[in-house]
Coordinates of all heavy atoms in Angstrom, one line a residue:
M1 N 9.6 -10.5 4.5 CA 9.7 -9.7 3.2 C 10.9 -9.2 2.8 O 10.9 -8.3 2.0 CB 8.5 -8.8 3.1 CG 7.2 -9.4 3.3 SD 5.8 -8.1 3.0 CE 4.5 -9.0 3.7
G2 N 12.0 -9.6 3.5 CA 13.3 -9.1 3.2 C 14.1 -9.7 2.2 O 14.5 -9.2 1.1
K3 N 14.5 -10.9 2.3 CA 15.6 -11.7 1.7 C 15.1 -11.8 0.1 O 15.9 -11.7 -0.6 CB 15.9 -13.0 2.2 CG 16.5 -12.9 3.7 CD 18.0 -13.0 3.4 CE 18.7 -13.1 4.8 NZ 19.9 -12.4 4.9
E4 N 13.9 -12.3 -0.1 CA 13.5 -12.4 -1.4 C 13.6 -11.1 -2.2 O 13.9 -11.1 -3.4 CB 12.1 -13.1 -1.4 CG 11.5 -13.6 -2.8 CD 12.5 -14.7 -3.3 OE1 12.9 -15.5 -2.5 OE2 12.8 -14.8 -4.5
S5 N 13.2 -10.0 -1.6 CA 13.1 -8.9 -2.4 C 14.6 -8.3 -2.7 O 14.7 -7.4 -3.5 CB 12.3 -7.7 -1.7 OG 12.9 -7.3 -0.5
E6 N 15.6 -8.9 -2.0 CA 16.9 -8.5 -2.3 C 17.5 -9.3 -3.6 O 18.4 -8.7 -4.1 CB 17.8 -8.9 -1.1 CG 17.6 -8.1 0.1 CD 18.4 -8.6 1.2 OE1 19.3 -9.5 1.1 OE2 18.0 -8.2 2.5
K7 N 16.8 -10.3 -4.0 CA 17.3 -11.0 -5.2 C 16.5 -10.6 -6.4 O 17.0 -10.7 -7.5 CB 16.9 -12.5 -4.9 CG 17.7 -13.1 -3.8 CD 17.3 -14.6 -3.7 CE 18.1 -15.1 -2.5 NZ 17.7 -16.6 -2.2
E8 N 15.2 -10.2 -6.3 CA 14.5 -9.8 -7.5 C 13.4 -8.6 -7.0 O 13.2 -8.5 -5.8 CB 13.7 -10.9 -8.1 CG 12.8 -11.6 -7.1 CD 12.1 -12.8 -7.8 OE1 12.8 -13.8 -7.9 OE2 10.9 -12.9 -8.1
F9 N 13.0 -7.8 -8.0 CA 12.0 -6.8 -7.7 C 10.7 -7.4 -7.2 O 10.1 -8.4 -7.6 CB 11.8 -6.0 -9.1 CG 10.7 -5.0 -8.8 CD1 11.0 -3.8 -8.2 CD2 9.4 -5.2 -9.2 CE1 10.2 -2.8 -7.9 CE2 8.5 -4.1 -9.0 CZ 8.8 -3.0 -8.4
V10 N 10.2 -6.8 -6.1 CA 9.0 -7.1 -5.4 C 8.3 -5.8 -5.5 O 8.7 -4.8 -4.9 CB 9.0 -7.8 -4.0 CG1 7.7 -7.9 -3.5 CG2 9.9 -9.0 -4.1
S11 N 7.1 -5.6 -6.0 CA 6.4 -4.4 -6.1 C 6.0 -3.9 -4.6 O 5.5 -4.7 -3.8 CB 5.2 -4.5 -6.7 OG 4.1 -3.6 -6.5
P12 N 6.4 -2.6 -4.3 CA 6.0 -2.1 -2.9 C 4.6 -2.1 -2.7 O 4.0 -2.4 -1.5 CB 6.5 -0.6 -3.0 CG 7.5 -0.5 -4.1 CD 7.2 -1.6 -5.1
Y13 N 3.7 -2.1 -3.7 CA 2.2 -2.3 -3.7 C 2.0 -3.8 -3.2 O 1.1 -3.9 -2.4 CB 1.5 -2.1 -5.0 CG 0.1 -2.0 -5.1 CD1 -0.6 -0.8 -4.7 CD2 -0.7 -3.1 -5.3 CE1 -2.0 -0.8 -4.7 CE2 -2.1 -3.1 -5.3 CZ -2.8 -1.9 -4.9 OH -4.1 -1.9 -4.9
S14 N 2.6 -4.7 -3.7 CA 2.3 -6.1 -3.3 C 2.7 -6.3 -1.8 O 2.0 -7.0 -1.2 CB 3.0 -6.9 -4.3 OG 2.5 -6.9 -5.5
I15 N 3.8 -5.6 -1.5 CA 4.2 -5.8 -0.1 C 3.2 -5.0 0.8 O 2.9 -5.7 1.8 CB 5.7 -5.2 0.0 CG1 6.8 -6.0 -0.8 CG2 6.1 -5.1 1.6 CD1 8.1 -5.3 -0.7
A16 N 2.7 -3.9 0.4 CA 1.7 -3.2 1.2 C 0.4 -4.0 1.3 O -0.1 -4.1 2.5 CB 1.4 -1.9 0.6
Q17 N 0.1 -4.8 0.2 CA -1.1 -5.6 0.4 C -0.9 -6.8 1.6 O -1.8 -7.0 2.2 CB -1.4 -6.3 -1.0 CG -2.0 -5.5 -2.0 CD -2.1 -6.1 -3.2 OE1 -1.2 -7.0 -3.7 NE2 -3.1 -6.0 -4.0
G18 N 0.2 -7.3 1.5 CA 0.6 -8.3 2.6 C 0.5 -7.8 4.0 O -0.1 -8.4 4.8
Y19 N 1.2 -6.6 4.1 CA 1.0 -6.0 5.4 C -0.4 -5.5 5.9 O -0.8 -5.7 7.0 CB 1.9 -4.7 5.5 CG 3.3 -5.3 5.8 CD1 4.4 -4.7 4.9 CD2 3.8 -5.9 6.9 CE1 5.6 -5.1 5.1 CE2 5.0 -6.3 7.0 CZ 6.0 -5.8 6.2 OH 7.4 -6.2 6.3
A20 N -1.2 -5.2 4.9 CA -2.5 -4.7 5.2 C -3.3 -6.1 5.5 O -4.2 -6.0 6.6 CB -3.2 -4.3 3.9
L21 N -3.1 -7.1 5.0 CA -3.8 -8.4 5.3 C -3.4 -8.8 6.8 O -4.2 -9.5 7.5 CB -3.3 -9.6 4.5 CG -4.2 -9.4 3.1 CD1 -3.5 -10.5 2.1 CD2 -5.6 -9.6 3.2
L22 N -2.1 -8.5 7.2 CA -1.7 -8.8 8.6 C -2.2 -7.7 9.6 O -1.8 -7.7 10.7 CB -0.2 -8.8 8.6 CG 0.4 -9.9 7.8 CD1 1.8 -9.9 7.8 CD2 0.0 -11.4 8.4
H23 N -2.9 -6.6 9.0 CA -3.4 -5.6 9.8 C -2.2 -4.8 10.4 O -2.4 -4.0 11.5 CB -4.4 -6.0 10.9 CG -5.6 -6.7 10.5 ND1 -6.8 -6.2 10.6 CD2 -5.7 -7.9 9.8 CE1 -7.7 -6.9 10.0 NE2 -7.1 -8.0 9.6
D24 N -1.2 -4.7 9.6 CA -0.1 -3.8 10.0 C -0.2 -2.6 9.3 O 0.4 -2.3 8.2 CB 1.2 -4.6 9.9 CG 2.5 -3.8 10.3 OD1 2.4 -2.6 10.6 OD2 3.5 -4.5 10.4
A25 N -0.9 -1.6 9.8 CA -1.1 -0.4 9.0 C 0.1 0.4 8.8 O 0.3 1.0 7.8 CB -2.2 0.5 9.7
D26 N 1.0 0.5 9.8 CA 2.2 1.2 9.7 C 3.0 0.8 8.5 O 3.4 1.6 7.8 CB 3.0 1.0 11.0 CG 2.3 1.6 12.2 OD1 1.5 2.6 12.1 OD2 2.7 1.3 13.3
R27 N 3.2 -0.5 8.5 CA 4.1 -1.0 7.3 C 3.3 -0.9 6.0 O 4.0 -0.7 4.9 CB 4.5 -2.4 7.5 CG 5.6 -2.6 8.6 CD 6.9 -2.5 7.9 NE 8.0 -2.6 8.8 CZ 8.7 -3.6 9.2 NH1 8.2 -4.8 8.7 NH2 9.8 -3.5 9.9
A28 N 2.0 -1.1 5.9 CA 1.4 -1.1 4.8 C 1.2 0.2 4.2 O 1.6 0.4 2.9 CB -0.2 -1.6 5.0
I29 N 1.1 1.2 5.0 CA 1.1 2.6 4.5 C 2.5 3.0 4.0 O 2.7 3.8 3.1 CB 0.4 3.5 5.6 CG1 -1.0 3.2 5.8 CG2 0.7 5.0 5.3 CD1 -1.8 3.7 6.9
E30 N 3.4 2.6 4.8 CA 4.8 2.8 4.3 C 5.1 2.4 3.1 O 5.6 3.2 2.1 CB 5.9 2.3 5.4 CG 7.3 2.3 5.0 CD 8.3 1.3 5.8 OE1 7.8 0.9 6.8 OE2 9.3 1.2 5.3
Y31 N 4.7 1.2 2.6 CA 4.9 0.7 1.4 C 4.0 1.2 0.4 O 4.3 1.4 -0.9 CB 5.0 -0.8 1.3 CG 6.2 -1.5 1.9 CD1 6.5 -1.7 3.2 CD2 7.2 -1.6 1.0 CE1 7.6 -2.3 3.7 CE2 8.5 -2.2 1.3 CZ 8.6 -2.5 2.7 OH 10.0 -2.9 3.2
L32 N 2.9 1.7 0.7 CA 2.0 2.3 -0.3 C 2.7 3.7 -0.7 O 2.5 4.1 -1.8 CB 0.5 2.6 0.3 CG -0.3 1.4 0.4 CD1 -1.7 1.6 1.1 CD2 -0.6 0.8 -1.1
G33 N 3.2 4.4 0.3 CA 4.0 5.5 0.1 C 5.1 5.3 -1.0 O 5.3 6.0 -1.8
K34 N 5.8 4.2 -0.8 CA 6.9 3.9 -1.6 C 6.3 3.6 -3.2 O 6.8 4.0 -4.1 CB 7.7 2.7 -1.2 CG 8.5 2.9 0.2 CD 9.2 1.7 0.5 CE 9.9 2.1 1.7 NZ 10.9 0.9 2.2
S35 N 5.2 2.9 -3.1 CA 4.5 2.6 -4.4 C 4.0 3.9 -5.1 O 4.3 4.1 -6.3 CB 3.3 1.7 -4.1 OG 2.6 1.5 -5.5
A36 N 3.6 4.8 -4.4 CA 3.2 6.1 -4.9 C 4.4 6.9 -5.4 O 4.4 7.4 -6.5 CB 2.4 6.9 -3.9
G37 N 5.5 6.9 -4.6 CA 6.7 7.6 -5.0 C 7.4 7.0 -6.2 O 8.1 7.7 -6.9
A38 N 7.2 5.7 -6.4 CA 7.8 5.0 -7.6 C 6.8 5.1 -8.8 O 7.2 4.8 -9.9 CB 8.0 3.5 -7.3
K39 N 5.6 5.8 -8.6 CA 4.5 6.1 -9.6 C 4.2 4.6 -10.2 O 4.0 4.6 -11.4 CB 5.1 6.9 -10.7 CG 5.4 8.3 -10.1 CD 5.8 9.4 -11.1 CE 6.1 10.6 -10.4 NZ 6.6 11.7 -11.2
E40 N 4.0 3.6 -9.3 CA 3.3 2.4 -9.8 C 2.0 2.6 -10.2 O 1.2 3.2 -9.4 CB 3.5 1.5 -8.8 CG 4.9 0.8 -8.5 CD 4.7 -0.4 -7.4 OE1 4.4 -0.3 -6.3 OE2 4.9 -1.5 -7.9
S41 N 1.6 2.1 -11.4 CA 0.3 2.3 -11.9 C -0.8 1.6 -10.9 O -1.9 2.0 -10.6 CB 0.0 1.7 -13.1 OG 0.4 0.4 -13.4
S42 N -0.3 0.6 -10.3 CA -1.2 -0.2 -9.4 C -1.6 0.6 -8.1 O -2.7 0.3 -7.7 CB -0.6 -1.5 -8.8 OG 0.7 -1.2 -8.2
I43 N -1.0 1.8 -7.8 CA -1.4 2.5 -6.7 C -2.8 3.1 -6.9 O -3.5 3.4 -5.9 CB -0.4 3.6 -6.3 CG1 -0.6 4.4 -5.0 CG2 -0.2 4.7 -7.4 CD1 -0.4 3.4 -3.9
L44 N -3.2 3.3 -8.1 CA -4.5 3.8 -8.5 C -5.6 2.9 -8.0 O -6.8 3.2 -7.9 CB -4.6 4.1 -9.9 CG -3.7 5.1 -10.4 CD1 -3.6 5.2 -11.9 CD2 -3.8 6.4 -9.8
Y45 N -5.4 1.6 -7.7 CA -6.4 0.7 -7.3 C -6.7 0.6 -5.8 O -7.5 -0.1 -5.3 CB -6.0 -0.7 -7.8 CG -6.0 -0.8 -9.3 CD1 -4.9 -0.8 -10.0 CD2 -7.2 -0.9 -9.9 CE1 -4.9 -0.8 -11.3 CE2 -7.2 -1.1 -11.3 CZ -6.0 -1.0 -12.1 OH -6.1 -0.9 -13.4
I46 N -5.9 1.5 -5.0 CA -6.1 1.4 -3.5 C -7.6 1.6 -3.1 O -8.0 1.2 -2.1 CB -5.0 2.2 -2.7 CG1 -5.3 3.8 -2.9 CG2 -3.7 1.7 -2.9 CD1 -4.5 4.5 -2.0
A47 N -8.3 2.5 -4.0 CA -9.6 2.9 -3.5 C -10.5 1.7 -3.6 O -11.6 1.7 -3.0 CB -10.1 4.0 -4.3
V48 N -10.3 0.8 -4.4 CA -11.3 -0.5 -4.6 C -10.5 -1.8 -4.2 O -11.4 -2.8 -4.2 CB -11.7 -0.4 -6.1 CG1 -12.5 0.8 -6.4 CG2 -10.6 -0.6 -7.1
D49 N -9.3 -1.8 -3.9 CA -8.7 -3.1 -3.6 C -9.1 -3.5 -2.2 O -8.8 -2.9 -1.2 CB -7.1 -2.9 -3.7 CG -6.4 -4.2 -3.5 OD1 -6.9 -5.2 -3.0 OD2 -5.1 -4.2 -3.9
T50 N -9.8 -4.6 -2.2 CA -10.4 -5.1 -0.8 C -9.4 -5.6 0.0 O -9.7 -5.6 1.3 CB -11.4 -6.2 -1.1 OG1 -10.8 -7.3 -1.8 CG2 -12.6 -5.7 -2.0
L51 N -8.2 -5.8 -0.3 CA -7.0 -6.2 0.5 C -6.6 -5.1 1.5 O -6.2 -5.5 2.6 CB -5.8 -6.7 -0.1 CG -6.0 -7.9 -1.1 CD1 -4.8 -8.3 -1.9 CD2 -6.4 -9.2 -0.3
F52 N -7.1 -4.0 1.2 CA -6.8 -2.8 2.0 C -7.9 -2.4 3.0 O -7.8 -1.5 3.7 CB -6.4 -1.5 1.3 CG -5.0 -1.7 0.5 CD1 -4.9 -1.7 -0.8 CD2 -3.9 -1.9 1.3 CE1 -3.8 -2.0 -1.6 CE2 -2.6 -2.0 0.6 CZ -2.7 -2.1 -0.7
D53 N -9.0 -3.3 3.0 CA -10.1 -2.9 3.8 C -9.7 -3.0 5.3 O -10.3 -2.0 6.1 CB -11.3 -4.1 3.6 CG -12.1 -3.9 2.3 OD1 -11.9 -2.7 1.8 OD2 -12.8 -4.7 2.1
P54 N -8.8 -3.8 5.8 CA -8.4 -3.7 7.2 C -7.8 -2.3 7.8 O -7.8 -2.0 8.9 CB -7.4 -4.8 7.4 CG -7.7 -5.7 6.3 CD -8.1 -4.9 5.2
I55 N -7.3 -1.6 6.7 CA -6.6 -0.4 7.0 C -7.3 0.8 6.4 O -6.8 1.9 6.6 CB -5.2 -0.4 6.8 CG1 -4.9 -0.5 5.3 CG2 -4.4 -1.5 7.4 CD1 -3.4 -0.1 4.8
R56 N -8.4 0.6 5.7 CA -9.0 1.7 4.9 C -9.4 2.9 5.8 O -9.4 4.1 5.3 CB -10.2 1.1 4.2 CG -10.7 2.0 3.2 CD -11.7 1.2 2.3 NE -11.3 0.2 1.5 CZ -10.3 0.2 0.6 NH1 -9.9 1.4 0.0 NH2 -9.9 -1.0 0.0
K57 N -9.7 2.8 7.0 CA -10.3 4.0 7.7 C -9.1 4.7 8.5 O -9.4 5.7 9.2 CB -11.3 3.5 8.8 CG -12.5 3.0 8.0 CD -13.7 2.7 9.1 CE -14.8 2.3 8.3 NZ -15.9 1.9 9.1
D58 N -7.8 4.2 8.4 CA -6.7 4.8 9.1 C -6.6 6.2 8.3 O -6.5 6.4 7.1 CB -5.4 4.0 8.8 CG -4.3 4.4 9.4 OD1 -3.9 5.6 9.2 OD2 -3.9 3.8 10.4
P59 N -6.5 7.3 9.2 CA -6.2 8.6 8.6 C -5.1 8.7 7.6 O -5.3 9.4 6.6 CB -6.0 9.5 9.8 CG -6.6 8.7 10.9 CD -6.5 7.2 10.7
R60 N -4.1 7.9 7.7 CA -3.0 8.1 6.8 C -3.1 7.5 5.5 O -2.8 7.9 4.5 CB -1.8 7.3 7.5 CG -1.3 8.0 8.7 CD -0.2 7.2 9.4 NE -0.9 5.9 9.9 CZ -0.3 4.9 10.4 NH1 1.0 4.9 10.6 NH2 -0.9 3.8 10.7
F61 N -4.1 6.5 5.6 CA -4.6 5.8 4.3 C -5.4 6.8 3.5 O -5.2 7.0 2.3 CB -5.3 4.5 4.5 CG -5.7 3.8 3.3 CD1 -4.9 2.9 2.8 CD2 -7.0 4.0 2.8 CE1 -5.3 2.2 1.6 CE2 -7.4 3.3 1.6 CZ -6.6 2.4 1.1
L62 N -6.4 7.5 4.3 CA -7.2 8.4 3.6 C -6.4 9.6 3.0 O -6.7 10.1 2.0 CB -8.2 8.9 4.6 CG -9.1 7.8 5.2 CD1 -10.1 8.3 6.3 CD2 -10.0 7.3 4.1
A63 N -5.4 10.0 3.8 CA -4.5 11.2 3.2 C -3.7 10.7 2.0 O -3.7 11.5 1.1 CB -3.5 11.4 4.5
L64 N -3.4 9.5 2.0 CA -2.6 9.0 0.9 C -3.6 9.0 -0.5 O -3.2 9.4 -1.5 CB -2.0 7.6 1.0 CG -1.2 7.0 -0.2 CD1 -0.1 8.0 -0.6 CD2 -0.7 5.7 0.2
E65 N -4.8 8.5 -0.2 CA -5.8 8.5 -1.3 C -6.0 10.0 -1.7 O -6.0 10.2 -3.1 CB -7.2 8.1 -0.8 CG -7.3 6.5 -0.8 CD -8.7 6.1 -0.5 OE1 -9.3 6.6 0.5 OE2 -9.0 5.1 -1.1
K66 N -6.1 10.9 -0.9 CA -6.3 12.3 -1.2 C -5.1 12.8 -2.0 O -5.2 13.5 -3.0 CB -6.6 13.1 0.1 CG -7.0 14.5 -0.2 CD -7.3 15.2 1.0 CE -7.8 16.6 0.9 NZ -8.2 17.3 2.1
K67 N -3.9 12.5 -1.4 CA -2.7 12.8 -2.1 C -2.5 12.5 -3.5 O -2.0 13.3 -4.4 CB -1.4 12.5 -1.4 CG -0.2 12.9 -1.7 CD 1.0 12.4 -1.0 CE 2.4 12.6 -1.7 NZ 3.5 12.0 -0.9
I68 N -2.9 11.3 -3.9 CA -2.8 10.8 -5.1 C -4.1 11.1 -6.0 O -4.1 10.7 -7.2 CB -2.4 9.3 -5.3 CG1 -3.4 8.6 -4.6 CG2 -1.0 9.0 -4.6 CD1 -3.1 6.9 -4.7
G69 N -5.0 11.8 -5.5 CA -6.2 12.3 -6.3 C -7.1 11.2 -6.3 O -8.0 11.4 -7.3
L70 N -7.5 10.4 -5.3 CA -8.5 9.3 -5.4 C -9.8 9.7 -4.4 O -10.5 8.8 -4.4 CB -8.0 8.1 -5.2 CG -6.9 7.5 -6.1 CD1 -6.4 6.2 -5.6 CD2 -7.6 7.3 -7.5
S71 N -9.6 10.8 -3.9 CA -10.8 11.2 -3.1 C -11.0 12.8 -3.1 O -10.1 13.5 -3.6 CB -10.5 10.8 -1.5 OG -9.5 11.6 -0.9
A72 N -12.1 13.2 -2.8 CA -12.5 14.5 -3.0 C -11.6 15.3 -2.0 O -11.3 14.9 -0.9 CB -14.0 14.7 -2.7
P73 N -11.3 16.6 -2.4 CA -10.4 17.4 -1.5 C -11.1 17.8 -0.3 O -12.1 17.8 0.0 CB -10.1 18.6 -2.4 CG -10.8 18.4 -3.7 CD -11.5 17.1 -3.7

């Protein structure tokens, strides 16, 4: 996921989806953080996006949902 993104914009959210599908929670959450930091509107879909099911129970994923206001405090 390196060379292509050097040539044109690739959404951090999209990159996170790819890593989640690979069950790479570390990288997926890293890119979700970048997506949230860039205020991408797509970040609001993490609560229902089934591509994140493999990492959904990770405490860092849950903390990110809470941070962006998608779960109860």
